[in-house]
Amino acid sequence: MTPLIEAKGLVRIYALRHGPFSRPSFVRAVEDISLSVFPGETLGIVGESGSGKSTLGRMLLGIDPTQGGEVRFEGQPMPRLGTPEWRALRAKMQLVYQDPLAALDRRQTIATQIGEPLDIHRIGPRASRAGRVEELMAAVGLRPDQAGSYPHELSGGQRQRTVIARALAARPKLLVCDEPVSALDVSIQAQVVNMLSDLQEDNGIAMIFISHDLKVVRNLADRVAVMYLGRIVEEASSDVIFQSPRHPYTKALVSSMPIPGKKLEGRVILQGEPPNPAARPSGCAFHPRCPVARDICRTSTPELRQVEKGRTAACHVVADNAAIAA
Amino acid sequence: MASIYPATTQPDARQSAGLLSSIRRNMPLSVGLGILWLVAMVLVAIFADRIRPYGITQMDLTSRLSPPGMLKHLLGTDELGRDVLSRLIQSIRLSLVIAFGATLLSAVFGTALGFAAAQFRGFVEHLVLALADFQAALPFLIISLAVLAFFGSSMVLLVCLMGFYGWERYARIARGLAISAGAQGYAASVVQLGATPARVYLRHILPNVASTLIVSMTLTFPEIILMESGLSFLGLGVQPPATSLGNMVGFGREYLTRAPWIMLAPATVIMFTTLSISLVGDWLRDRLDPTVR
Amino acid sequence: MIRFVLVRVMRAVITILAVMTFAFVVLRMSGDPAEVMLGPDVPQNVIEAFRKSWGLDQPLWIQYLAYLKSIFTGDFGVSMRDKAPALQLVLERVPATLQLTVPALILKLLIGIPAGVYAALHRQSFADRGVILLAILGFTIPSFVMGLVLVLIFSVTLGVLPSGGQETWLHGILPTLTMSVGGVGILARFSRSAMIEVMGQPYIRTASAKGLKWRDVVWGHALPNAAVPIVTIVGFMVGSLIAGAVVVESIFSWPGIGRLLIVSVSNRDLAVVQCILLIVAGTMVVSNLAVDLLYGWLDPRLRSPASH
């Protein structure tokens, strides 16, 4: 089976200027990332803030330019941002935002906004579009009488449902969700996540779900990639990663996940400063906080490689252990 | 029956009374008077042909320079015996039409340039800034004098020229708001849906910035009236036989000692009109949009 | 800071170049000065000779380059009408204009700023309302109406002041007054709103809360901060010292730059109009530049490149 979307060696570097006279410092937001997503599959991307996961999501959609590597969608290279080809491709790939209020136009009714992709991409006869909007609203759990509402008249959850309905309007094949529920009340989060999951299953959409919330990702994702300072440090199927994390960073993350009815035991508390992308440590970026770091970790950056069937990791220690086991 | 109807109509009546008193509470007397004056001016401009007692070139040689107050010529006549009231009414229409056309033109032009600067950044943005610098370097009156004198004065040229007045204000506002909308938020999300830039700007950004732009139109409008009347006063704006408020004052100046009413009537109208728009515009700005200077 | 200054100077230079080009384009494209100067009944060979002697027979871009070159060498051409150097004609008129605009500017500053500051410090008082009303009136009355009304009162009715000409200092009173009224209104309104905004800032409340005398709060903290926006508008007024009197000079037959401009414009005297445009733009650009630099000095935040 060919992947729906495939990224190879993606690099994104921001230049930060502190003042008119200082030399700019460079932030390597995304460094040498390769991944692929198959039709209908859900890839979870987890990491702390500043790990580059949002930038990665935008690069996969072609919104942020790549400074190295390439993205291929359905085997074709990603067209440049703003070209007619890029715009046409938006019917097949969509983004769901973290802040739904900012993503909606406060001067248009939600029905108009949900139907906007249909108008933009001229999908179906004009007369049938109202019907499709009703269908979408029902699918995301909005009442028909809310069609004429404006974004500020809705609750946060209803706004996010509107954004999701709009994203689904053109029947995309890929949905990138960037922290779609982190701005919502905890009680609403589960509803929206379940709805997303159902919609994805019913429509066979592939999804890239970006979040710092491991619980949500565990419920939703088939596969999970863990990011630390612009790099993927471990990737495996959701069950494997959460059952037996290998990378010390993943271990720390997973050990901090509360499991109902169980006391938090053996929790790995990370030492040191939280990661700062502007001051990336040498070698393995994680080594200053790593409980098992060795000398080599300070000097040489570990490659992401297969350490067992269905699992890749970027860690000298894990790689050595795998070699011994084999 | 009788008991039902009062019950249903009463809340309505109370509501409308509440609306009226809330208008009275929230709107100073000066603003109310300003609005009344403006409405009157617009009506005069629209129905100029109906309410004008005489033709504007119609001469009554038996009563030249007759003072105001006579029933025959309410505001008196000029040196050729032409009715001042009729000429005033016609002038109001022409001055308002020019000012309105020019305000619209400069709003459209400035907004378009502002959006272009926001969309393309880089070179286009620098070009727009350079244009604004240029305009700031030469007083608008001087530019207009040069252009009108050398190209000859025609209505179309006059409106187009006035249409360059104040464009940089709209450009600055439109550019700022478009950039902030495009950096993140609704504009970026519509781009991400696959919308063309035209759609993003016309369907989404424009409606969102419209109220701010309308407020700055109320600031430009009186300035354009003053600019046009100044030019016409100097003899370079509206040309006879057409008549505008400014050129009435200009011609009336010759008869300042013998017939001051020729000049005072249009001068009063200019003053009250610009004053009204300024008052109403300030009030609107405070209510709608505190961000504009 | 050096970068900031350089960018501003660059922009000023570009603006001057743009004005030069504008003057050239408008004046050369708009008709044949030979016919205008000589009248329609002149034989063809005279027109040819006239064109040749003024360089009007050359291709336009050669005329443009020659024009730029002569300006950079300080040669602003010769008036086609008076046959005198345009620059000299224009400079002769500058003192007359300054005789009106400088006293008017001083009046504006002396009345406008104190009135605005006073109104801001006594908000909602009778004086505040009065200042607002007068300020609005001051800039909604066009200067030609103001001038004519003053003439009507002081020359026609009372007969105490002359209505035109430049013979004595008495002749300057009405034009100066006419010119100041609008500016006083603008300055008063500007200073008032700048002052009100500053007085609402936390540091003013801090200063008065820590026990500073009210007078010291106003003079030491509020006024210097309110000065930033006021400087802009004053800079604009300084920049228009030369060009700001067109209408008033025309009303009062005052032989300054404005009158020269109107006369030259109606005679299509290219060299003189060009020269006036450039001098006006030059003053304006220099004073805008000065304001920008002063601004950067008053408010260091504006020095960063993100200030556009």
Side-chain angles (χ1 to χ4, degrees):
Chain A
M1 198 159 65
T2 53
L4 178 67
I5 187 167
E6 194 175 13
K8 278 203 181 115
L10 292 184
V11 177
R12 178 94 175 104
I13 301 167
Y14 293 110
L16 262 194
R17 283 186 166 277
H18 303 286
F21 310 114
S22 62
R23 210 174 301 155
S25 59
F26 294 100
V27 177
R28 310 178 79 84
V30 167
E31 230 183 333
D32 192 19
I33 285 190
S34 302
L35 54 78
S36 50
V37 178
F38 291 88
E41 188 192 25
T42 299
L43 172 68
I45 297 180
V46 295
E48 293 165 271
S49 63
S51 60
K53 54 192 194 305
S54 290
T55 306
L56 175 63
R58 295 168 57 85
M59 286 171 83
L60 292 172
L61 289 169
I63 300 172
D64 277 7
T66 58
Q67 278 146 345
E70 64 162 355
V71 177
R72 296 180 87 87
F73 186 82
E74 293 185 321
Q76 300 298 313
M78 176 66 61
R80 269 192 45 217
L81 174 70
T83 56
E85 296 77 35
W86 183 88
R87 286 201 290 269
L89 201 55
R90 296 308 104 190
K92 294 187 176 173
M93 51 202 314
Q94 276 294 308
L95 176 62
V96 174
Y97 299 83
Q98 176 173 7
D99 179 0
L101 186 58
L104 292 170
D105 188 332
R106 64 195 171 100
R107 290 193 180 257
Q108 286 190 355
T109 63
I110 61 168
T112 312
Q113 300 195 56
I114 291 173
E116 186 150 24
L118 305 175
D119 295 337
I120 291 172
H121 298 288
R122 301 203 175 77
I123 296 169
R126 200 172 283 271
S128 75
R129 290 179 194 159
R132 170 75 177 140
V133 170
E134 275 172 35
E135 198 183 301
L136 283 161
M137 287 183 61
V140 298
L142 289 166
R143 296 193 312 272
D145 63 283
Q146 289 170 323
S149 316
Y150 290 89
H152 65 266
E153 297 168 347
L154 301 179
S155 71
Q158 289 166 336
R159 285 176 204 143
Q160 193 57 292
R161 287 168 195 269
T162 307
V163 170
I164 291 168
R166 182 174 69 173
L168 293 175
R171 300 185 194 278
K173 295 185 173 169
L174 173 69
L175 209 55
V176 176
C177 302
D178 186 359
E179 305 263 14
V181 294
S182 61
L184 303 180
D185 286 353
V186 178
S187 57
I188 315 276
Q189 285 187 356
Q191 290 176 18
V192 173
V193 167
N194 289 340
M195 182 198 80
L196 262 176
S197 166
D198 291 350
L199 285 169
Q200 182 202 11
E201 226 158 85
D202 296 350
N203 298 290
I205 304 169
M207 189 152 79
I208 296 175
F209 194 93
I210 300 168
S211 178
H212 65 275
D213 188 338
L214 294 160
K215 286 196 313 297
V216 174
V217 172
R218 179 177 203 168
N219 287 336
L220 213 55
D222 303 317
R223 255 182 325 126
V224 174
V226 180
M227 282 183 75
Y228 189 83
L229 280 180
R231 284 176 176 267
I232 292 179
V233 294
E234 185 167 9
E235 185 187 335
S237 73
S238 177
D239 294 338
V240 170
I241 274 227
F242 288 108
Q243 299 282 328
S244 57
R246 282 287 165 82
H247 193 285
Y249 178 60
T250 318
K251 279 183 179 167
L253 287 184
V254 172
S255 76
S256 68
M257 263 174 83
I259 297 163
K262 260 180 124 181
K263 266 177 88 177
L264 269 182
E265 274 170 40
R267 185 171 174 194
V268 185
I269 308 282
L270 287 176
Q271 305 294 319
E273 306 259 316
N276 172 10
R280 196 172 196 282
S282 63
C284 172
F286 185 58
H287 83 255
R289 301 168 80 191
C290 181
V292 295
R294 303 171 182 173
D295 286 345
I296 186 176
C297 300
R298 289 181 190 87
T299 50
S300 127
T301 309
E303 300 255 331
L304 186 67
R305 67 185 87 163
Q306 186 159 354
V307 291
E308 56 183 71
K309 198 173 181 315
R311 182 203 302 263
T312 54
C315 177
H316 295 301
V317 181
V318 174
D320 286 356
N321 291 347
I324 292 163
Chain B
M1 286 292 273
S3 64
I4 295 168
Y5 275 112
T8 50
T9 52
Q10 220 163 9
D12 277 350
R14 212 180 297 145
Q15 223 168 21
S16 69
L19 189 72
L20 265 181
S21 71
S22 88
I23 286 178
R24 222 176 288 139
R25 231 182 303 119
N26 294 324
M27 188 197 290
L29 181 67
S30 55
V31 173
L33 289 177
I35 291 177
L36 272 183
W37 176 266
L38 292 179
V39 169
M41 285 303 105
V42 170
L43 289 179
V44 165
I46 292 173
F47 297 109
D49 293 329
R50 305 264 181 84
I51 56 178
R52 201 178 56 211
Y54 301 92
I56 58 161
T57 52
Q58 188 182 332
M59 294 180 244
D60 183 354
L61 293 175
T62 55
S63 52
R64 281 189 291 180
L65 294 180
S66 85
M70 312 279 207
L71 268 187
K72 198 171 165 200
H73 299 289
L74 270 179
L75 290 178
T77 58
D78 65 5
E79 73 282 9
L80 296 171
R82 296 176 300 188
D83 184 49
V84 170
L85 179 62
S86 306
R87 293 181 67 74
L88 188 66
I89 288 170
Q90 191 68 22
S91 297
I92 290 170
R93 166 185 263 184
L94 192 62
S95 287
L96 284 190
V97 166
I98 290 176
F100 196 73
T103 306
L104 274 183
L105 214 60
S106 106
V108 170
F109 179 66
T111 308
L113 278 187
F115 282 167
Q119 169 73 18
F120 301 111
R121 308 302 290 266
F123 175 73
V124 178
E125 195 168 23
H126 283 290
L127 196 70
V128 172
L129 278 173
L131 262 177
D133 277 356
F134 169 74
Q135 185 132 15
L138 275 180
F140 196 76
L141 185 69
I142 306 251
I143 299 185
S144 315
L145 273 179
V147 171
L148 285 175
F150 285 90
F151 286 101
S153 188
S154 72
M155 263 309 265
V156 177
L157 183 61
L158 189 64
V159 172
C160 291
L161 195 59
M162 294 291 108
F164 281 100
Y165 184 85
W167 66 269
E168 71 277 7
R169 198 177 295 165
Y170 305 102
R172 183 170 51 80
I173 294 170
R175 172 181 161 274
L177 294 175
I179 287 177
S180 67
Q184 43 180 288
Y186 65 92
S189 83
V190 181
V191 169
Q192 197 278 135
L193 291 176
T196 56
R199 185 186 184 94
V200 176
Y201 280 98
L202 297 179
R203 289 271 181 93
H204 293 276
I205 297 183
L206 192 60
N208 276 284
V209 304
S211 65
T212 316
L213 292 175
I214 288 171
V215 167
S216 48
M217 282 171 82
T218 67
L219 301 179
T220 317
F221 194 83
E223 291 166 3
I224 289 184
I225 289 189
L226 290 182
M227 192 58 71
E228 177 269 319
S229 48
L231 281 173
S232 299
F233 172 81
L234 293 174
L236 287 160
V238 172
Q239 300 296 316
T243 172
S244 82
L245 295 171
N247 90 352
M248 269 187 93
V249 177
F251 286 109
R253 173 186 166 197
E254 311 282 326
Y255 299 88
L256 191 58
T257 43
R258 279 190 290 159
W261 57 87
I262 303 178
M263 171 237 134
L264 283 176
T268 316
V269 172
I270 294 176
M271 264 177 52
F272 277 129
T273 308
T274 52
L275 183 64
S276 303
I277 304 171
S278 299
L279 288 173
V280 175
D282 274 6
W283 178 72
L284 265 184
R285 178 185 53 185
D286 291 348
R287 307 222 58 181
L288 292 179
D289 200 322
T291 56
V292 195
R293 250 198 320 186
Chain C
M1 190 68 195
I2 296 168
R3 197 188 132 91
F4 170 80
V5 173
L6 277 181
V7 167
R8 296 299 146 116
V9 171
M10 266 291 289
R11 279 176 60 182
V13 169
I14 291 175
T15 308
I16 294 274
L17 266 175
V19 171
M20 281 157 68
T21 311
F22 168 82
F24 180 83
V25 169
V26 167
L27 304 186
R28 302 292 157 111
M29 303 288 280
S30 60
D32 187 351
E35 278 175 25
V36 178
M37 294 299 294
L38 301 173
D41 304 327
V42 178
Q44 193 61 33
N45 59 338
V46 178
I47 291 188
E48 292 301 329
F50 180 87
R51 285 201 178 136
K52 204 169 179 91
S53 68
W54 293 99
L56 295 171
D57 55 342
Q58 300 286 324
L60 212 58
W61 65 274
I62 291 188
Q63 289 188 42
Y64 179 63
L65 287 183
Y67 160 77
L68 287 186
K69 187 177 156 229
S70 59
I71 286 178
F72 284 120
T73 54
D75 174 12
F76 287 81
V78 175
S79 162
M80 292 176 184
R81 208 179 145 74
D82 297 355
K83 306 288 182 284
L87 187 62
Q88 183 198 329
L89 278 178
V90 175
L91 290 182
E92 274 171 7
R93 299 293 192 100
V94 170
T97 294
L98 291 182
Q99 270 174 30
L100 294 185
T101 51
V102 171
L105 178 65
I106 294 171
L107 266 184
K108 289 177 208 170
L109 296 179
L110 286 186
I111 301 174
I113 295 178
V117 171
Y118 183 87
L121 294 179
H122 300 81
R123 279 189 80 183
Q124 306 298 337
S125 71
F126 183 71
D128 182 30
R129 282 161 203 278
V131 165
I132 296 174
L133 186 68
L134 287 179
I136 293 182
L137 271 182
F139 69 77
T140 49
I141 300 178
S143 59
F144 54 91
V145 169
M146 177 60 71
L148 292 182
V149 169
L150 288 180
V151 166
L152 201 57
I153 297 172
F154 290 100
S155 312
V156 178
T157 312
L158 300 176
V160 289
L161 287 171
S163 67
Q166 197 207 4
E167 286 83 47
T168 66
W169 65 272
L170 280 176
H171 287 81
I173 291 183
L174 286 186
T176 306
L177 266 182
T178 307
M179 244 183 303
S180 333
V181 172
V184 168
I186 291 172
L187 261 184
R189 220 168 103 126
F190 232 87
S191 325
R192 178 177 175 275
S193 57
M195 201 61 188
I196 285 175
E197 196 177 327
V198 168
M199 296 302 285
Q201 296 295 318
Y203 58 80
I204 295 296
R205 266 177 278 141
T206 315
S208 54
K210 74 186 180 194
L212 272 184
K213 270 192 207 137
W214 184 238
R215 208 180 53 202
D216 295 340
V217 173
V218 170
W219 284 98
H221 293 265
L223 275 178
N225 282 293
V228 177
I230 299 177
V231 160
T232 319
I233 199 87
V234 173
F236 178 78
M237 288 175 171
V238 171
S240 43
L241 277 180
I242 289 196
V246 177
V247 172
V248 171
E249 284 178 10
S250 155
I251 298 171
F252 292 98
S253 326
W254 191 270
I257 295 272
R259 279 250 302 196
L260 181 65
L261 177 64
I262 290 186
V263 171
S264 312
V265 139
S266 41
N267 291 323
R268 298 206 167 190
D269 198 339
L270 296 188
V272 177
V273 175
Q274 258 170 17
C275 188
I276 294 177
L277 282 183
L278 289 177
I279 285 185
V280 164
T283 346
M284 207 65 175
V285 166
V286 168
S287 80
N288 281 351
L289 183 65
V291 166
D292 271 356
L293 298 183
L294 197 61
Y295 231 82
W297 178 66
L298 283 172
D299 189 348
R301 278 173 304 176
L302 294 170
R303 274 178 229 149
S304 71
S307 65
H308 291 319

